[in-house]
Amino acid sequence: MLIRAGYKIRFEAEAPTPLMAMLSIHPSRNKDLVSPHRIVAGPDIPMYDYLDAFGNVCTRMTIPAGGLTLSCDFTVTDDGRPDPVDLDAQQHAVEDLPDEILIFLLGSRYCETDRLSETAWSLFGHVPSGWARVQAIVAFTHDHIEFGYHHARSTKTAWDAHQEQQGVCRDFAHLAITLCRCMNIPARYCTGYLGDIGIAPVDAPMDFSAWFDVYLGGRWHTFDARHNTPRIGRILMARGRDATDAALTTTFGRAQLVGFDVHTDAVEATA
């Protein structure tokens, strides 16, 4: 299947303001592009890309005085299948994990393993390890948090989401990631496009989405605590320890987000 995706984002600033953006698709999806992926700036300004420590494409630029509009529109091919399920995926002993995976067991800015460790073991210590334990964490998180855009807060952590029982998709991801790490299951934060593909249309503005990966059976597997069901058509943009490593835009100065539109739709292939 083909998926058309993109965005139009507008910032206003009174003075030149540096900006770092992770608004490109992840390099792992480059091979799936069937049309060019380019960030278009208005007005036209210099920008350049680099890869960060997690393999994400970061774009550096400076918002000029007055403001800046960033837009992108592209099409990718997708296998059209829901997220894979592997009920037999086994949890590794910590001593057997590859060195580069250990960082995804540690606490991070939004994932306070020290504050939730006792809670995690009391809730999931009796659940068989591996896929079943991760799914139990996902189901708990899905039921524990009430979703609502008005619950969004840039400073909200996994602990906050657990205590307040409210949040947006990144809060679902942060809580589930933290609970997994507390149970010695490596977990990493992911963000990107996820359209209403293969489900009934949702009566809400389209947005970027957050989900997470866990390391079981020698590879990474996708889970989504916000929706608690395999979904079709994820397009990864960035990943890392938590939202700190995968913030889609970061401004270094005063800038106001005044326009935000995201689209992600399945399209018919043409001859």
Side-chain angles (χ1 to χ4, degrees), residues 25-264:
I25 64 169
H26 193 269
S28 61
R29 293 303 303 262
N30 282 345
K31 66 183 183 301
D32 299 323
L33 284 168
V34 295
S35 70
H37 181 290
R38 298 189 185 96
I39 299 176
V40 178
D44 193 15
I45 59 169
M47 61 179 76
Y48 73 89
D49 296 339
Y50 72 93
L51 291 180
D52 70 6
F54 297 97
N56 304 314
V57 178
C58 303
T59 306
R60 294 187 64 175
M61 68 196 79
T62 297
I63 303 171
L68 177 70
T69 300
L70 300 174
S71 61
C72 185
D73 186 81
F74 64 94
T75 303
V76 297
T77 184
D78 191 85
D79 63 17
R81 296 194 293 266
D83 305 318
V85 173
D86 185 356
L87 299 179
D88 296 324
Q90 297 298 307
Q91 181 174 338
H92 295 267
V94 173
E95 59 269 28
D96 295 332
L97 288 169
D99 297 340
E100 65 275 13
I101 301 298
L102 288 177
I103 190 174
F104 298 107
L105 283 180
L106 305 179
S108 54
R109 164 68 178 86
Y110 291 103
C111 300
E112 313 104 312
T113 52
D114 55 336
R115 304 190 75 177
L116 283 163
S117 181
E118 185 176 343
T119 297
W121 280 98
S122 67
L123 290 171
F124 310 110
H126 67 285
V127 180
S129 64
W131 190 277
R133 181 172 284 172
V134 177
Q135 184 54 56
I137 290 171
V138 169
F140 168 82
T141 304
H142 176 78
D143 294 338
H144 189 73
I145 298 178
E146 174 192 348
F147 180 85
Y149 288 111
H150 56 291
H151 300 315
R153 188 172 75 246
S154 63
T155 59
K156 185 178 289 187
T157 66
W159 171 260
D160 295 331
H162 179 265
Q163 296 302 104
E164 298 171 17
Q165 300 184 41
Q166 297 172 332
V168 292
C169 57
R170 75 176 226 159
D171 302 310
F172 284 79
H174 283 150
L175 179 56
I177 287 168
T178 305
L179 294 172
C180 284
R181 291 178 185 172
C182 288
M183 304 303 296
N184 295 329
I185 303 169
R188 65 186 182 186
Y189 180 92
C190 302
T191 187
Y193 298 91
L194 181 61
D196 300 334
I197 300 173
I199 65 170
V202 177
D203 185 20
M206 184 62 66
D207 196 356
F208 295 114
S209 188
W211 60 90
F212 71 107
D213 292 338
V214 299
Y215 191 81
L216 296 173
R219 64 187 182 89
W220 291 101
H221 303 263
T222 296
F223 285 87
D224 188 334
R226 159 73 175 93
H227 299 101
N228 192 24
T229 188
R231 292 286 298 271
I232 297 171
R234 297 184 196 275
I235 306 174
L236 179 67
M237 297 173 74
R239 58 192 176 203
R241 293 167 298 179
D242 58 30
T244 302
D245 298 325
L248 295 176
T249 59
T250 302
T251 56
F252 300 89
R254 294 179 62 87
Q256 184 178 6
L257 179 65
V258 297
F260 184 84
D261 180 74
V262 178
H263 61 272
T264 314

